Amino acid sequence: MIFADADENYREADFVILGIPFEDSEMSFREGTSKAPDFIRYYSHNYESYVMESGIDLQNIKIHDAGNFSIEEAKNFVRRAREENKIPIVIGGAHSISPFLISSINEDLNVVILDAHLDFRKDYMGNEFSHACASRRIFEEVGKNRMISIGIRSASREEVEEAEKLNFKYILSSKFKKNIADEIKFDKIYLSIDMDVFDPCYAPGVSNPEPNGLGYEIFEFIKKISKKIYAVDVVEVSPPYDDGRTSLLAAKVIRNFISWKI
Ligand code: MN
Ligand code: MN
C-alpha cells in the first residue's frame, strides 16, 4: 500500500515519500519501529485528500511513494532526490536513521529536531549509532550554529553536562512557546520529528513515551517554518503499542506539511 495521494511517478514528483523500516533492536525500551512505515501508510488513507485548513487538495500535488529502503539505499535515494530539487519525506524507523540521511545530503541544511529526548549520548550500550545518540551524531556533523532540539524533557546527567559544555542548543518542553518558530533564523531546514515530542496522550505508540509533552502547537510550529523545510523525517512510531492514534497523527503531520510547503 502506498501513502495516500502519493501516486505520481518519481520523475514528475515534487515530494518523495520513502520508508526505512530500520530498528536498532537491542536498545529501544519498546520495539516495533520497523513496522511503522507501512502502518503510517495505512492510516494515511483515513483522510480526505483535501486539506481543509490550507485549501490544498493533495490529489493535485505531485507526490511519489518510493516504497521501503535500507539505510544505505535511502542515503543514495535522498541525496539524488535533493539534487533534483524534490522534497524527501522519510518515515522511520528508529531515530538512528537521521544522522545518515543528513550527512548524505550535499547541502548546508540546518537541522531542527523535535524530540522529548536530548539523544546526546556519545554511545549507548556500546553502539554509537543508536537512536539515543542521534542528535550527538548530527551535532558532530553540522556544528553548534546549525542545529536546535525542541521539546526536550528527558536526558541523563552526562548528556546535559556535555550539551552545556559543547554549546548544543535545545529548548525544554516546558519552555515551548508559540513564537519559537520566529526565533529560528535558519534559511534551509532539515526537520526531524521524533514522534515522542508529542505527549503520550496524543502519541502513545512510540518507543520511549515521555509524559508532560506537547500537543497540537507542534502543528503551528511546523506550519510557520514549513516554507524553509527541504527534507523531513518522522521517526520512532511503534505500531505494536499504537491504537492508531500515533500513526494517524504522523500521517496528518506529513499531509499537512505537504499542504503548507507547496
Ligand atoms: Mn529521538
Ligand atoms: Mn525521543
Side-chain angles (χ1 to χ4, degrees), residues 114-132:
L114 297 171
D115 201 329
H117 305 94
L118 208 53
D119 286 353
F120 208 67
R121 286 179 154 90
K122 265 186 259 182
D123 69 86
Y124 187 54
M125 293 170 74
N127 184 356
E128 60 184 8
F129 300 109
S130 161
H131 63 95

Side-chain angles (χ1 to χ4, degrees), residues 188-201:
K188 295 181 89 177
I189 293 171
Y190 180 108
L191 176 66
S192 179
I193 307 168
D194 181 330
M195 286 297 290
D196 65 32
V197 72
F198 287 99
D199 190 86
C201 74

Side-chain angles (χ1 to χ4, degrees), residues 10 16-23 33-34 37-38 41 64-81 88-94 97 101:
Y10 175 84
V16 285
I17 293 174
L18 59 149
I20 306 182
F22 176 84
E23 182 160 355
T33 54
S34 62
D38 290 338
R41 283 184 176 101
H64 173 69
D65 187 337
N68 290 338
F69 292 78
S70 69
I71 291 178
E72 276 311 307
E73 292 165 339
K75 281 161 63 179
N76 294 324
F77 184 88
V78 165
R79 179 190 302 120
R80 189 178 134 214
I89 300 172
V90 182
I91 307 175
I97 66 173
L101 298 170

